[in-house]
Amino acid sequence: MKTRRGACYSCHEPAAEEPEMHRRKRRRTAMEAAGCAAAAAAVGDMFEDLPDDLLLSILADVAASARSPADLAGATMTCKRFRELGQSKVVLAKVSPRCLAVRAKSWSDSAHRFLQRCADAGNLDACYLLGMIRFYCLGSRGSGAALMAAAAVGGHREALYSLAVIQFNGSGGSKDDRDLRAGAALCARAASLGHVDALRELGHCLQDGYGVRRSLLDGRRLLIQANARELAAAVTTSASLLRAAASSGKASRRHSCLLSDFGCRAAVAAAGEAHAANRFLVEWFASRPLGGESSSPAAAPAPADDGGGLRLCSHALCGRPETRRHEFRRCSVCGVVNYCSRACQALHWKMAHKAECTPMDRWLDGANANPNPNAVAVAAPAL
């Protein structure tokens, strides 16, 4: 065969011996590979020599900044040592609320065990979330209330407000188990920690003399403070939305005022996202209707009371169910919607119910004008 230089050689001739330069290069490559392997082994030995306190601090920071359970799971699955240290109470106590935000459709025994381990480690958000799930969804009233109480002792404002709602309604017991003073005290503690709904609830209690001495002036002052805090949060949210719209080239000029007690329409998007526990309740009872009622918490159930099941709070972002019949307060005008608290009533009134509420006498007149033999119209008294 002829090459470009004109030299000819035979394909059947034996190959010449490998030049000395090629042999040296191969030997040098093998030595470099061996050196890299030795360096990797040295690095592995250095990782094993790291103290546990340093790794626990790193994993705790990862858990505190995790935005989803997958973030923490990915970090703990890096190696066997991370997986073992990830089960430490130091790490589980720092797990962020977003990492704990399990959805109802993803609920399983493993999720229950994970929340239980975090609660045992002293994570207040896990105590509150698991307490709400056990109290309202799983029917374990005692353990659920105990977990929420543990979170409340640690200063968890959502737990304090939920316990106040339970005390006001006597949830899990009879009507005689209501403790209005305890509910007002828990509301005051939650309001002092910055819970807006608790501040509004306490303002209505002062105006109505519900569990506390009546004071119209103080109640009005607290309602104004609650609305001012909502307005500040709405302005902050609107500013962030405007910046995002400006960066994407889409202008948004939607008004989002939250003065829900003074005639302004409250926007759902500006009201902020519901807590993970409330989202879980809404999703849970959307697939598991109470007593055959409508699965939507915002839907208006029929005013007939045929001895059927329980009802959900009509505020769409709440999700709390009744634990006994007629536990929640009903609208005194239409008797159709019901609320677990005055805060939910005030929010839902300006968000939706103001445009839907119809006096019960008109509803009864319409029923008498168009009688339906298949319908039973017995209005329940307002509580």
Side-chain angles (χ1 to χ4, degrees):
M1 183 178 293
K2 190 174 183 179
T3 64
R4 290 183 179 180
R5 294 184 179 180
C8 298
Y9 67 93
S10 174
C11 298
H12 304 288
E13 293 180 358
E17 293 184 0
E18 189 177 17
E20 183 68 20
M21 182 181 63
H22 291 176
R23 288 197 296 269
R24 291 178 181 176
K25 185 176 181 181
R26 183 175 299 176
R27 190 179 303 114
R28 186 167 60 250
T29 304
M31 293 175 62
E32 290 177 355
C36 291
V43 171
D45 295 337
M46 291 174 60
F47 176 75
E48 294 296 334
D49 292 339
L50 290 176
D52 290 345
D53 295 341
L54 178 60
L55 297 181
L56 286 175
S57 177
I58 295 173
L59 287 176
D61 291 341
V62 171
S65 60
R67 295 186 176 182
S68 65
D71 295 342
L72 182 59
T76 56
M77 291 175 62
T78 304
C79 62
K80 182 179 180 181
R81 192 177 181 192
F82 271 15
R83 186 166 59 252
E84 294 175 353
L85 294 177
Q87 305 299 323
S88 173
K89 291 185 176 181
V90 177
V91 178
L92 296 178
K94 297 292 185 179
V95 176
S96 65
R98 289 187 177 183
C99 187
L100 295 170
V102 62
R103 309 303 290 264
K105 60 182 179 181
S106 305
W107 181 252
S108 61
D109 292 338
S110 59
H112 196 171
R113 289 193 298 269
F114 175 69
L115 289 178
Q116 183 63 58
R117 288 198 301 267
C118 293
D120 294 339
N123 192 306
L124 299 183
D125 293 302
C127 289
Y128 172 63
L129 178 58
L130 185 57
M132 289 283 287
I133 293 174
R134 286 186 177 179
F135 189 88
Y136 288 109
C137 301
L138 304 182
S140 182
R141 314 287 188 197
S143 61
L147 286 171
M148 284 189 282
V153 170
H156 196 277
R157 57 186 186 180
E158 294 285 348
L160 287 164
Y161 177 67
S162 294
L163 289 176
V165 173
I166 291 175
Q167 293 294 333
F168 280 137
N169 297 324
S171 301
S174 64
K175 188 176 180 179
D176 297 333
D177 294 330
R178 295 184 301 176
D179 193 340
L180 306 184
R181 290 188 177 182
L186 290 169
C187 268
R189 175 58 178 163
S192 67
L193 296 176
H195 197 281
V196 178
D197 288 339
L199 188 61
R200 177 177 287 106
E201 184 78 17
L202 186 60
H204 285 292
C205 289
L206 286 170
Q207 281 190 334
D208 301 337
Y210 194 75
V212 292
R213 181 178 297 178
R214 187 177 184 183
S215 176
L216 294 176
L217 182 61
D218 291 339
R220 192 70 171 175
R221 178 176 56 83
L222 292 183
L223 291 178
I224 293 175
Q225 290 181 8
N227 293 324
R229 292 185 184 181
E230 277 187 339
L231 182 59
V235 169
T236 303
T237 304
S238 299
S240 62
L241 291 176
L242 287 175
R243 286 194 297 267
S247 62
S248 62
K250 297 180 180 180
S252 176
R253 305 183 67 179
R254 180 182 59 184
H255 179 67
S256 58
C257 180
L258 282 180
L259 297 181
S260 53
D261 291 311
F262 297 98
C264 294
R265 183 176 180 82
V268 180
E273 295 183 358
H275 192 273
N278 298 101
R279 289 200 306 268
F280 187 94
L281 295 181
V282 171
E283 295 176 0
W284 180 274
F285 292 111
S287 58
R288 299 167 179 81
L290 289 174
E293 297 290 346
S294 174
S295 60
S296 174
D305 186 3
D306 56 354
L310 309 174
R311 304 193 181 200
L312 297 174
C313 179
S314 296
H315 182 35
L317 301 181
C318 177
R320 289 183 176 88
E322 290 181 326
T323 59
R324 67 177 186 277
R325 292 179 56 196
H326 307 309
E327 176 184 343
F328 293 163
R329 304 176 188 87
R330 297 192 181 183
C331 178
S332 59
V333 178
C334 64
V336 173
V337 294
N338 50 280
Y339 305 100
C340 66
S341 63
R342 289 172 174 81
C344 286
Q345 181 180 7
L347 288 174
H348 188 248
W349 171 254
K350 293 301 178 183
M351 288 171 57
H353 189 54
K354 183 178 181 180
E356 302 170 353
C357 186
T358 303
M360 189 174 294
D361 53 356
R362 297 182 183 178
W363 182 82
L364 291 176
D365 292 341
N368 294 330
N370 299 313
N372 184 1
N374 296 325
V376 179
V378 180
L383 298 181

